[in-house]
Amino acid sequence: MAATGGSIEKCFKETATHLKVKEFYGKVLKKTTDLKTDACVASGPVPAHIRHALNMVHPEVIAKYYGCGLVVPECMEACQVLDLGSGSGRDCYMLSKLVGEKGNVTGIDMTEKLLEVARTYTDYHTKAFGYKAPNIRFVQGYLEALNEAGIEGNAYDICISNGAVNLCPDKKPVLQEAYRVLKEGGELYFSDVYSSGRLTEEIRNSNVLWGECLSGALWWEDLMQLAEEVGFSPPRFVSGAAIKVFNKEMQDILGDFKFLSATYRLFKVPRGAGKPREVVYQGGITGMEESFSLDSQYTFKVNEVVEVDGDVAEILTRSRFSDKFTILPPGGPSQTCGASPKAGAVNPFELIHHRSDVPGSTTGGCCGTQPTGCCN
């Protein structure tokens, strides 16, 4: 994936928050055990094909990767992927293996030292994967200004991010840029920290809480609103876990606010255009040959008829999953069993409170220890 040609005027300016977070990660935080929350969450077992790819990543790349957990969507073969906040490149190289030689991965990060580590091992991984040429590149830039880094529009099948969006003070430009660079039917699949309400100024201005990824937590309802404003279909809640705060001083500042680490998927498909349909999963997704969980509401078993709401019907019709499903013609007798899931936003705090295990990705990422992307 080549960068856009010609010179691009650089307009984006670092904010005080960017500098504050850089100070925290550069001088205060030395190791992940210094954190005062468990916002760093790696949930569920890792599928064998993902574990194999991760085991092939060079040890130094892994050692200098400050995130945790994994954010790996399904059905990635031959895809064009953009990693928002790629750090030392651990996830990028893993994805490089998963997309195969016909796919391509771009990592963007603002921290040049981490990019140097990532770029050092391009040839190593190209040889390890048996590729004739690299299918990966790394660029320096901010998540709020991908255009200034030469990231093309309508070029990517998938954007992923693991905890980096949280550290950006203004989330809307990040979502706008992700929407711009995605192809029609493309997906933003990302894990981050969310709050039970809109945070106070005291919390938002706390240096330590920014570093802990709590000051930057987005109220989950604001994510719904921002996604609509940008043009994405309604966010689909995949998986999540409650975050515990261990530090008494931080507990006093946070008061009654609650936080969770959650993975959402947002698709660039027409919003509200679809109608409920019956669909059948045909299989064929690596690691999910017998059943596929799109999110916390929908799990599809092979050859089983499932009624989906209009938004999901649009996703399954227009995204990379389209050849994995048969969409039954409307008007025929219903073949589904049981009640149909309700459309609409899921309150993740209520869902996690009532259910000990939330179906979804088996590689739900961390959301709290990654000094990458717009924030380091």
Side-chain angles (χ1 to χ4, degrees):
M1 184 72 61
T4 52
S7 61
I8 298 176
E9 184 180 357
K10 306 296 184 181
C11 300
F12 183 79
K13 303 295 183 183
E14 282 188 324
T15 67
T17 298
H18 291 93
L19 298 174
K20 187 187 303 181
V21 174
K22 288 166 69 175
E23 172 76 11
F24 179 82
Y25 280 108
K27 297 182 180 180
V28 178
L29 183 65
K30 302 299 182 184
K31 52 187 182 299
T32 56
T33 53
D34 291 337
L35 290 166
K36 300 174 178 62
T37 76
D38 66 348
C40 179
V41 175
S43 61
V46 179
H49 69 291
I50 297 176
R51 186 168 60 250
H52 173 68
L54 188 60
N55 287 340
M56 297 182 74
V57 177
H58 193 281
E60 185 177 359
V61 172
I62 294 177
K64 294 188 177 181
Y65 182 82
Y66 300 115
C68 68
L70 295 171
V71 179
V72 187
E74 314 82 3
C75 203
M76 300 189 69
E77 292 87 346
C79 282
Q80 307 291 315
V81 181
L82 176 64
D83 184 357
L84 303 171
S86 54
S88 67
R90 185 201 70 172
D91 287 356
C92 285
Y93 283 119
M94 174 184 61
L95 296 171
S96 169
K97 173 64 175 174
L98 294 176
V99 302
E101 200 162 9
K102 293 182 179 180
N104 190 280
V105 179
T106 299
I108 182 167
D109 201 281
M110 69 158 291
T111 309
E112 192 60 44
K113 288 185 178 180
L114 292 177
L115 291 170
E116 289 175 5
V117 174
R119 290 167 178 153
T120 297
Y121 293 99
T122 298
D123 289 342
Y124 170 89
H125 290 95
T126 301
K127 293 177 182 178
F129 299 157
Y131 296 164
K132 295 180 180 178
N135 68 342
I136 192 168
R137 69 178 178 125
F138 296 95
V139 297
Q140 194 276 336
Y142 294 88
L143 307 192
E144 300 98 325
L146 300 179
N147 61 321
E148 294 186 7
I151 303 296
E152 301 171 73
N154 300 306
Y156 293 91
D157 300 293
I158 306 168
C159 290
I160 70 158
S161 185
N162 188 355
V165 176
N166 171 277
L167 297 173
C168 299
D170 190 354
K171 312 295 190 289
K172 187 172 183 179
V174 179
L175 295 184
Q176 288 174 323
E177 281 292 83
Y179 187 89
R180 180 185 67 82
V181 304
L182 284 170
K183 300 175 184 177
E184 293 298 324
E187 176 185 15
L188 170 60
Y189 185 98
F190 72 114
S191 184
D192 232 302
V193 175
Y194 295 90
S195 60
S196 57
R198 196 170 288 128
L199 300 178
T200 65
E201 285 300 309
E202 179 187 12
I203 294 174
R204 293 184 60 81
N205 291 329
S206 168
N207 288 11
V208 173
L209 291 177
W210 263 108
E212 295 282 346
C213 287
L214 298 181
S215 287
L218 191 64
W219 181 27
W220 72 271
E221 291 194 26
D222 280 344
L223 174 65
M224 306 296 131
Q225 180 63 34
L226 288 175
E228 180 176 4
E229 292 174 3
V230 169
F232 281 109
S233 64
R236 314 297 306 185
F237 176 73
V238 177
S239 60
I243 292 172
K244 298 177 182 178
V245 178
F246 308 117
N247 180 274
K248 179 63 167 60
E249 180 182 356
M250 290 172 56
Q251 291 174 349
D252 292 340
I253 296 174
L254 294 172
D256 294 330
F257 283 106
K258 300 190 183 310
F259 298 85
L260 58 80
S261 166
T263 299
Y264 278 95
R265 57 196 329 162
L266 286 63
F267 288 87
K268 188 176 179 177
V269 299
R271 189 182 183 97
K275 298 183 181 298
R277 298 289 294 272
E278 290 184 338
V279 305
V280 180
Y281 176 47
Q282 301 297 331
I285 296 178
T286 301
M288 297 192 169
E289 289 80 6
E290 298 300 322
S291 67
F292 163 53
S293 292
L294 176 71
D295 58 21
S296 63
Q297 290 182 289
Y298 289 100
T299 294
F300 304 94
K301 295 181 180 179
V302 170
N303 298 327
E304 182 177 279
V305 179
V306 177
E307 183 178 357
V308 300
D309 63 52
D311 290 322
V312 172
E314 285 294 297
I315 291 170
L316 299 182
T317 301
R318 298 174 181 269
S319 72
R320 67 188 186 281
F321 299 118
S322 62
D323 66 345
K324 309 299 182 185
F325 283 84
T326 297
I327 312 297
L328 300 181
S334 176
Q335 302 179 46
T336 58
C337 298
S340 302
K342 296 180 180 179
V346 173
N347 183 332
F349 288 88
E350 291 183 357
L351 189 64
I352 289 175
H353 177 74
H354 292 297
R355 296 165 65 179
S356 60
D357 61 329
V358 181
S361 171
T362 56
T363 56
C366 80
C367 311
T369 64
Q370 187 157 265
T372 55
C374 60
C375 314
N376 184 37

